[in-house]
Amino acid sequence: TSPAAVEPADTAPRAAHAAGTMRRVSLSAWTDAYALAIIKRPRIVLLLTSVGCVALGALSALRVMSPASPFAYIGDASKGFDARGNRLAGELESTGRILERAQCDGDISGERDGRTYARWAGWDDFVFERTYCRDPDRTYFDRRRLAEGPANGHDEGLPVAARSPPGAHRPPGRGRRLGSASDVSEGMCNYGWQLQRMWYWSTSVVFEPADESVDLFSLEPILGMCEVDDIIRTYDPEAFSRHCLTPPGRREFVCEEDQCAGDEWDLAEGEATCCPSRSLGTWVAHLRGRSTCADITADDVAVVKARVSKCASQYYPSSNKERLGACADPHNDDGWALCEPGWEAGVNNTKDENGTLIGDGKPLDSVSECHEGNAVWDIYTALVDIGYFDPKNKTRDTPRFARLLVPGNDWNAGFAYNIRMDALLRPLVGESFGGARVAAFDNSVKFAMFSVLLVSVDTPLIMGGTGFIFIVMWLYAGSAFVAGMAMVQLLLSILMGIFFFLVVLWLPFFPFLNTTAIFICIGIAADDVFVFLEAFDHATRAAEAGDPKLAPGSNAYEAALLSKVLKDAGGATLITSLTTAGAFFATSISDVTSIRCFGLFCGLVVLSDWILLVTYIPAVVTVYKKHIHGTACGRAACAPCAPFAPCTRHIQTNQPFGAPGAVSAEDEEPRVLRPLSDHFDAVLSPLITHRYLRYAWIVALLALSGGLTYFAPSLSFPTSGQLQMLPADHPIERMCCVGPKYGDEFTLGGIDQCRRMDAWIHWGLVPEDNGNVYDPSPNGVGTLQLLPIDPTTEAAQLWLRKLCRRAKRAAWYDRGDDPDCDDEKDFQCHLERVVEALEAPCGSTNLTEPCCGKSKSAFPYPPSTFNECLGEYQRATGDLGAFWPRGEGTRQNKPVVYRLRFPSRRVYKETHAVMSAFREELLAWADEALAEAPEELAGGFVTSPWFNFLALLSAIGESAFQSSVLAAALAGLVILTLTANVIIASFATVTIALVISTIFGILVLNGWSLGVLESICFATGIGMACDFVAHLGYAYRQGNLNREADTRDGLVRITIGHMAPATSAAAFSTSVMGVFMLFSATQFTRNFGQFILLLMSFSWVYAFFLLLPVLSVAGPLGRAGELSVLVDLCRGGAPQRSTQDASAKADSDEGPAAARAQS
């Protein structure tokens, strides 16, 4: 072996160390060259950057103006708040929108040779945005009809023999049973479809007694309610008449092509007359023959109240065994729907509690007073609270609440009117009218109200906060030009973020939530600007101690100065930008589309801001120093700041920002003032590095975090399925979401104890949402994925019938034994209904040979026969359970999808605990029951259409936890990577965790629940809490690396001097912005303001009074905790000892104190 080949044992570690050094030198050289380029051509850099960002914004604008604009739903604040991508969402999507779309696209059909458009639950209650294919002839009031046959659940108008059998489908629970016979009054708009649909009554006002002595069902309170009705109807009569509900036949709805044209009404001949409002007063006037509510007397009220009391048993079926005076409903055999004008009223087809006909079927001589005009039904169901005159609770004969319903129908035209109506009604809340006090109201425009208030109230407040940030930045920099251009840089970063979001990633949906992200990112980005300005200040002050060969003002001098700023501030802001962006990106893993888009957009804006921070801001400062500072314009820009000279940037003789007050008109020489960092050092350092006081800070903050963290896990889910968009004290929110929830006090539109959650079992579908999770529109719906099944085999038929019987024995099954609800007695599953129809004698149904007159012993049927008869049954009845593939030659194919529905006794409630318990109960039963399925029915799963809210809550909860963990991991990894010190990264990560847990504990005590906003705060808060901690940790490490001090206390003092002014200014300005947001008119902005205020305050306190005291006690010195040391150890060599370590050892030999500090 030649001597050249023999190398010392430590050559490899040395080579690695040398390679690392070369990389650092290369990066440093690149930074120097980049700084020199900016110094030479600052205006070109500034111009190119500005024009480039504007060009990116223009490209984004072209995307926005395209036919498939991502801003299509920007005005709908509720859009995108659906669960997408998780297991439960996959079940709901595959059995809902995907199954419907497959029918619309002609891939499958509920008829072997026809086409169906069936919803999976058989109940499409005017959900237009989820409708993909429509009959061109359908009108607004038509339910879903088929182009080639009847739709499941929507077979009105079909012959009785062709309608679905009882139990084949049912709407959501109807609460108290509906009335029977009806005496029609054309003036009262008492059609059943009008009375049972809340959306025909745009304004709802709830009254409560002004004191305990008031009976709302008495003359004076009723007249007071009528007075409020008059206030509403006469506020803007012309606008009210344009959008109100009118009696049938007075207006005609216009439809163009395949859909209704913008909810527009055409007036019929003559002037349209609005329907009377629904209130106790109008019904009393109607029943007593008075023309208006104002004409009624105390006797009229007493007579009607007595009638309502007498008829209580008719509307609480548990105390009544008969149904008197039922109508002959042409759409419903059981006679339970409200009668409507034009129907054959007064036919005695009364049935007993078992459904047996006991009436003679002959016309009645008169209509029962309990059913006249549907008045009593409406009073019980819509106008007085649940429990009024309940035979089970005879202790209360006065209403606790009463309601006024004002007619409104044309929503698009009525939005502006209803928003103005909000301004009219809000001052009335709390006012008493004849003893009836206005408690709350709802005018059906909450989301539109949110959009309006966000623009008209919140945006000026947020802009005021942004203006305050500008003022602080002006005072901090001492230059209006620099501060103004810094704000322009923030706006350009938003344009760049929008470009990446819309053009580069080509995302199809820009949610309304993203507009609020713009203001949030302004506060975050201001922090980096403050740090950058502070770095310029320190670099300028240290310039005189630099290389004397560099003449001040020369390009080389300015380039060296800028290079140092880019290395120091660029690295510090890169840490915070990556941690904050990482937290936002962690939020983008959410299964809620709007939250996913929000996190992704915010992360892109934060990264865009950092890119412009190291390009745009250096060019701005250079332009200012070369071309503006010292001119009349520069002096004018600084003049307003002169009174605040002690608080502004006090640059030395170079004065790159022209610090106001640094040079006075009378001075011949520059007046050098004390640096702002010295003030912070003088105040904070003794408090933080004191020998005993630092331990007190550590113990106190750890105790505070421990106490408040105890409450954090008790964060609960919201108790309302509606998003709270307005403050909790707003009357609209008090109707649905918070506080008393007045809307739940009424049967119509409130909690329905008879609304049961059905269970559905599907075979053949893959329960997966394979659509575009970023697109909530119909374009984002996935494609049908099928599993091989065959429900027509004899083994499958036998097992399905066994499964139906087994389900009826389950604890969750609804056996129809609740006398207060219109339950489904003698329910039969789809297979049982098919078998019953096939066993019926030929001629009694629409089925023909060989699909009729079969004996009971013939079951199970031959597969080919059952396949043919199953298709014939579904074609004749519209009762869809099986779906076949469509296309040429597919008539003999077997079903590819099969489903069964079972009624459940579990009441639907918008609480996570109730729905989750029902889902767990279903899954436990299904796991056991479906495990015995034959091979041809493998892969079945159970779910319920009522689980949409549960899917949203589950997605929010899962994403909050997962995003928080991922954000914390990313923050720790970024801090570890860029500080390159395990000890500092560990202390910083623990501090961040304590900040977040402390804030969450406070928010729980303040009544927060785990909603959409809270899940965003949990994940993004981690990234935002990193800023101050990361800045201080990075500054400590840089001071240690550069040997600026040899003791921990000295390094802490250096850290305070470098970072305290910038971080304090950022915390103060952003906190003030949070204070501005506290006075906003929307709950989202108000809550986020509260969160930002707490986050800034606690982040600053914990960074300075927990992290720094810990570092003063146990912070690293020399190469302690450095990643390079660990790398050397992992490679098997001894850690390389640098000249810095040798110097530290020499210094430690000088005295015991230094030696102890080094150790």
Side-chain angles (χ1 to χ4, degrees):
T1 306
S2 63
V6 180
E7 297 182 355
D10 60 348
T11 299
R14 288 182 180 178
H17 180 72
T21 303
M22 290 297 295
R23 285 192 296 269
R24 288 193 294 271
V25 170
S26 176
L27 180 61
S28 177
W30 184 90
T31 306
D32 293 340
Y34 175 71
L36 183 60
I38 292 179
I39 293 299
K40 288 183 176 180
R41 299 290 186 271
R43 287 180 291 187
I44 294 179
V45 173
L46 196 62
L47 179 62
L48 291 178
T49 307
S50 302
V51 173
C53 290
V54 173
L56 297 182
L59 292 176
S60 303
L62 294 177
R63 173 80 200 284
V64 171
M65 293 184 292
S66 65
S69 173
F71 281 66
Y73 299 102
I74 193 66
D76 186 356
S78 64
K79 198 66 176 178
F81 289 106
D82 295 312
R84 298 291 304 273
N86 60 10
R87 168 70 185 188
L88 183 53
E91 295 174 358
L92 298 174
E93 280 289 303
S94 62
T95 55
R97 300 200 301 173
I98 291 178
L99 183 60
E100 183 184 14
R101 181 169 187 170
Q103 296 174 77
C104 297
D105 294 341
D107 298 331
I108 62 173
S109 174
E111 297 180 12
R112 291 191 302 155
D113 54 356
R115 187 170 183 177
T116 56
Y117 304 150
R119 289 288 298 164
W120 75 298
W123 186 254
D124 187 304
D125 216 356
F126 299 131
V127 186
F128 294 121
E129 63 183 356
R130 299 185 66 175
T131 301
Y132 303 100
C133 46
R134 300 174 177 175
D135 181 352
D137 297 327
R138 71 183 290 271
T139 59
Y140 183 82
F141 294 111
D142 288 338
R143 292 182 181 174
R144 299 289 302 284
R145 294 295 306 277
L146 301 177
E148 304 173 39
N152 180 27
H154 308 291
D155 46 23
E156 295 87 345
L158 296 176
V160 173
R163 290 205 302 271
S164 304
H169 53 79
R170 72 170 181 179
R174 289 172 285 184
R176 293 177 180 144
R177 292 182 174 180
L178 307 182
S180 298
S182 173
D183 182 18
V184 178
S185 171
E186 289 291 338
M188 278 305 297
C189 297
N190 55 349
Y191 277 72
W193 53 264
Q194 292 171 325
L195 297 182
Q196 296 180 71
R197 299 289 181 256
M198 284 294 292
W199 53 75
Y200 294 126
W201 310 87
S202 60
T203 301
S204 171
V205 183
V206 174
F207 299 86
E208 60 185 0
D211 55 63
E212 295 181 357
S213 63
V214 174
D215 179 5
L216 292 177
F217 211 139
S218 59
L219 180 61
E220 293 302 324
I222 288 178
L223 291 177
M225 299 179 210
C226 294
E227 181 182 352
V228 175
D229 183 24
D230 290 338
I231 292 174
I232 295 173
R233 299 172 75 97
T234 59
Y235 171 65
D236 188 345
E238 181 180 355
F240 180 80
S241 64
R242 283 200 305 268
H243 87 281
C244 70
L245 177 68
T246 59
R250 304 302 297 270
R251 287 180 176 180
E252 180 182 356
F253 197 73
V254 179
C255 286
E256 296 181 357
E257 299 179 355
D258 64 339
Q259 59 184 349
C260 298
D263 286 4
E264 296 176 358
W265 294 86
D266 275 353
L267 293 179
E269 294 183 5
E271 184 179 356
T273 302
C274 295
C275 292
S277 299
R278 293 163 66 182
S279 69
L280 293 176
T282 52
W283 279 120
V284 170
H286 169 69
L287 294 176
R288 299 294 295 168
R290 310 297 182 185
S291 59
T292 65
C293 177
D295 299 329
I296 64 176
T297 65
D299 291 339
D300 295 332
V301 175
V303 170
V304 174
K305 184 176 181 180
R307 177 189 293 196
V308 172
S309 176
K310 176 183 177 181
C311 297
S313 60
Q314 300 291 319
Y315 299 95
Y316 289 92
S318 58
S319 61
N320 181 50
K321 302 300 182 183
E322 299 179 352
R323 309 172 186 177
L324 301 177
C327 283
D329 182 351
H331 300 335
N332 193 342
D333 284 340
D334 63 13
W336 281 96
L338 285 177
C339 298
E340 298 184 2
W343 292 8
E344 296 179 10
V347 177
N348 186 5
N349 59 354
T350 304
K351 302 176 183 178
D352 63 15
E353 62 178 352
N354 297 318
T356 304
L357 181 67
I358 60 175
D360 56 13
K362 298 179 180 180
L364 298 173
D365 294 335
S366 62
V367 176
S368 167
E369 62 180 4
C370 295
H371 306 122
E372 181 183 354
N374 295 321
V376 177
W377 177 91
D378 194 39
I379 291 173
Y380 269 116
T381 305
L383 303 182
V384 296
D385 62 280
I386 298 172
Y388 174 63
F389 270 133
D390 185 351
K392 294 181 180 180
N393 181 19
K394 299 181 180 180
T395 61
R396 183 169 65 86
D397 60 355
T398 60
R400 292 188 300 116
F401 304 101
R403 185 161 61 178
L404 163 69
L405 297 175
V406 181
N409 198 12
D410 191 356
W411 300 112
N412 289 343
F415 271 149
Y417 171 79
N418 284 330
I419 289 173
R420 288 186 284 120
M421 188 61 60
D422 179 87
L424 171 71
L425 292 176
R426 288 201 68 180
L428 300 183
V429 175
E431 294 291 328
S432 175
F433 295 84
R437 182 170 57 208
V438 178
F441 66 87
D442 182 10
N443 52 2
S444 306
V445 288
K446 181 167 72 171
F447 290 103
M449 181 69 64
F450 172 81
S451 304
V452 171
L453 293 177
L454 187 67
V455 174
S456 62
V457 178
D458 293 7
T459 299
L461 286 172
I462 296 174
M463 295 305 296
T466 305
F468 187 84
I469 292 177
F470 167 75
I471 293 174
V472 173
M473 198 175 295
W474 184 358
L475 299 177
Y476 193 87
S479 168
F481 173 79
V482 174
M485 295 302 288
M487 301 304 294
V488 172
Q489 177 256 329
L490 300 182
L491 297 178
L492 293 178
S493 66
I494 293 172
L495 289 179
M496 185 182 294
I498 293 176
F499 170 77
F500 286 127
F501 186 88
L502 296 182
V503 179
V504 176
L505 299 180
W506 204 259
L507 294 179
F509 176 56
F510 193 90
F512 191 87
L513 198 60
N514 282 8
T515 60
T516 62
I518 295 175
F519 305 110
I520 296 169
C521 292
I522 289 176
I524 296 174
D527 172 39
D528 293 341
V529 175
F530 283 117
V531 172
F532 218 86
L533 297 179
E534 183 67 25
F536 264 110
D537 181 50
H538 279 281
T540 304
R541 293 181 183 280
E544 291 186 354
D547 190 349
K549 298 179 181 178
L550 298 178
S554 64
N555 285 343
Y557 173 86
E558 297 295 340
L561 187 70
L562 180 57
S563 178
K564 178 175 175 55
V565 171
L566 290 172
K567 293 171 186 176
D568 292 341
T573 55
L574 179 61
I575 292 179
T576 58
S577 296
L578 290 179
T579 54
T580 305
F584 281 123
F585 288 144
T587 309
S588 67
I589 69 172
S590 171
D591 292 320
V592 181
T593 301
S594 286
I595 299 178
R596 187 190 297 262
C597 293
F598 173 85
L600 187 58
F601 176 69
C602 286
L604 293 172
V605 172
V606 170
L607 293 182
S608 300
D609 173 74
W610 185 84
I611 293 174
L612 291 178
L613 183 73
V614 296
T615 55
Y616 193 83
I617 295 299
V620 167
V621 172
T622 304
V623 168
Y624 177 78
K625 292 171 64 176
K626 285 188 172 183
H627 305 288
I628 298 179
H629 174 53
T631 65
C633 178
R635 288 191 295 272
C638 293
C641 303
F644 304 97
C647 299
T648 56
R649 300 290 69 222
H650 306 306
I651 312 302
Q652 289 187 339
T653 55
N654 309 94
Q655 302 170 30
F657 299 110
V663 181
S664 63
E666 298 83 8
D667 294 336
E668 297 180 358
E669 297 293 333
R671 176 156 51 92
V672 180
L673 301 179
R674 185 182 179 188
L676 187 59
S677 58
D678 289 356
H679 295 279
F680 280 90
D681 183 28
V683 175
L684 293 178
S685 294
L687 298 176
I688 294 173
T689 61
H690 188 274
R691 184 176 181 182
Y692 301 109
L693 196 56
R694 58 187 175 185
Y695 293 102
W697 291 120
I698 295 173
V699 172
L701 292 180
L702 288 178
L704 176 64
S705 295
L708 291 174
T709 302
Y710 172 80
F711 298 99
S714 61
L715 192 68
S716 61
F717 286 100
T719 58
S720 174
Q722 300 187 45
L723 294 175
Q724 182 184 347
M725 310 301 294
L726 306 176
D729 59 349
H730 197 286
I732 292 179
E733 297 295 354
R734 291 170 64 84
M735 284 283 285
C736 68
C737 304
V738 297
K741 296 185 180 179
Y742 291 104
D744 292 344
E745 298 291 340
F746 301 86
T747 298
L748 185 64
I751 296 177
D752 190 346
Q753 296 299 327
C754 296
R755 182 176 296 180
R756 309 300 174 86
M757 295 183 283
D758 296 343
W760 287 73
I761 304 177
H762 287 77
W763 291 271
L765 293 174
V766 177
E768 178 181 314
D769 180 7
N770 63 347
N772 187 349
V773 296
Y774 288 96
D775 189 358
S777 73
N779 296 325
V781 178
T783 57
L784 189 68
Q785 301 179 90
L786 299 174
L787 296 173
I789 66 166
D790 186 0
T792 65
T793 65
E794 295 184 9
Q797 297 175 49
L798 289 171
W799 183 81
L800 286 172
R801 186 162 69 173
K802 178 182 176 181
L803 179 68
C804 291
R805 294 172 178 174
R806 183 171 185 168
K808 295 178 181 180
R809 298 192 298 268
W812 50 264
Y813 181 79
D814 184 5
R815 297 172 179 82
D817 52 2
D818 187 347
D820 287 336
C821 296
D822 188 15
D823 298 296
E824 297 175 274
K825 297 180 182 295
D826 302 323
F827 172 82
Q828 292 179 314
C829 72
H830 181 267
L831 178 71
E832 292 172 331
R833 297 194 296 271
V834 173
V835 173
E836 182 183 50
L838 267 59
E839 292 176 353
C842 294
S844 62
T845 67
N846 288 351
L847 301 180
T848 58
E849 290 284 355
C851 299
C852 61
K854 292 188 176 296
S855 64
K856 294 184 180 297
S857 61
F859 186 85
Y861 310 115
S864 59
T865 301
F866 184 67
N867 185 43
E868 179 182 355
C869 293
L870 180 62
E872 292 301 314
Y873 167 81
Q874 295 192 171
R875 181 195 59 78
T877 64
D879 182 13
L880 305 186
F883 296 87
W884 288 263
R886 295 189 75 241
E888 295 295 332
T890 60
R891 182 174 173 79
Q892 301 303 321
N893 282 350
K894 305 295 178 62
V896 293
V897 175
Y898 191 68
R899 63 186 184 180
L900 293 176
R901 184 190 72 86
F902 299 99
S904 160
R905 64 189 308 115
R906 305 305 180 210
V907 178
Y908 174 75
K909 293 184 179 180
E910 292 177 336
T911 60
H912 182 269
V914 171
M915 289 188 290
S916 180
F918 178 51
R919 174 169 164 78
E920 294 299 326
E921 185 180 20
L922 280 183
L923 293 177
W925 176 85
D927 288 343
E928 181 180 352
L930 300 182
E932 303 174 3
E935 182 179 357
E936 54 267 36
L937 286 177
F941 60 93
V942 63
T943 188
S944 173
W946 300 93
F947 286 160
N948 281 290
F949 184 53
L950 175 62
L952 176 61
L953 292 182
S954 300
I956 290 174
E958 293 170 2
S959 64
F961 174 76
Q962 295 171 358
S963 299
S964 298
V965 172
L966 180 58
L970 289 174
L973 180 61
V974 170
I975 294 175
L976 176 62
T977 302
L978 295 182
T979 60
N981 191 286
V982 177
I983 298 176
I984 295 176
S986 300
F987 289 157
T989 304
V990 172
T991 303
I992 293 169
L994 292 175
V995 170
I996 294 298
S997 62
T998 302
I999 293 175
F1000 288 172
I1002 295 175
L1003 295 178
V1004 170
L1005 293 176
N1006 198 34
W1008 279 37
S1009 59
L1010 186 55
V1012 174
L1013 169 65
E1014 292 78 9
S1015 66
I1016 296 173
C1017 292
F1018 294 160
T1020 60
I1022 293 177
M1024 296 168 68
C1026 289
D1027 287 3
F1028 303 148
V1029 172
H1031 282 316
L1032 297 184
Y1034 184 80
Y1036 180 95
R1037 194 259 180 177
Q1038 290 298 101
N1040 182 39
L1041 185 67
N1042 297 328
R1043 298 284 296 154
E1044 296 182 34
D1046 295 327
T1047 64
R1048 296 185 178 93
D1049 288 349
L1051 290 174
V1052 168
R1053 293 178 67 94
I1054 293 296
T1055 301
I1056 293 174
H1058 283 183
M1059 285 297 166
T1063 54
S1064 299
F1068 175 69
S1069 59
T1070 308
S1071 297
V1072 172
M1073 185 174 186
V1075 172
F1076 273 87
M1077 296 169 71
L1078 291 178
F1079 296 94
S1080 61
T1082 64
Q1083 186 68 13
F1084 180 90
T1085 310
R1086 184 176 295 185
N1087 279 3
F1088 219 106
Q1090 180 183 1
F1091 177 74
I1092 288 177
L1093 180 59
L1094 289 174
L1095 186 65
M1096 291 296 103
S1097 302
F1098 279 88
S1099 296
W1100 188 91
V1101 170
Y1102 273 68
F1104 280 93
F1105 291 95
L1106 181 61
L1107 178 62
L1108 290 186
V1110 168
L1111 290 176
S1112 72
V1113 173
L1117 289 173
R1119 297 190 65 200
E1122 291 290 311
L1123 283 179
S1124 58
V1125 175
L1126 299 179
V1127 171
D1128 291 342
L1129 290 175
C1130 290
R1131 289 177 175 174
Q1136 293 300 305
R1137 195 173 177 187
S1138 65
T1139 57
Q1140 175 185 343
D1141 295 327
S1143 175
K1145 180 64 172 64
D1147 293 343
S1148 67
D1149 293 339
E1150 295 178 1
R1156 284 194 301 270
Q1158 177 62 25
S1159 64

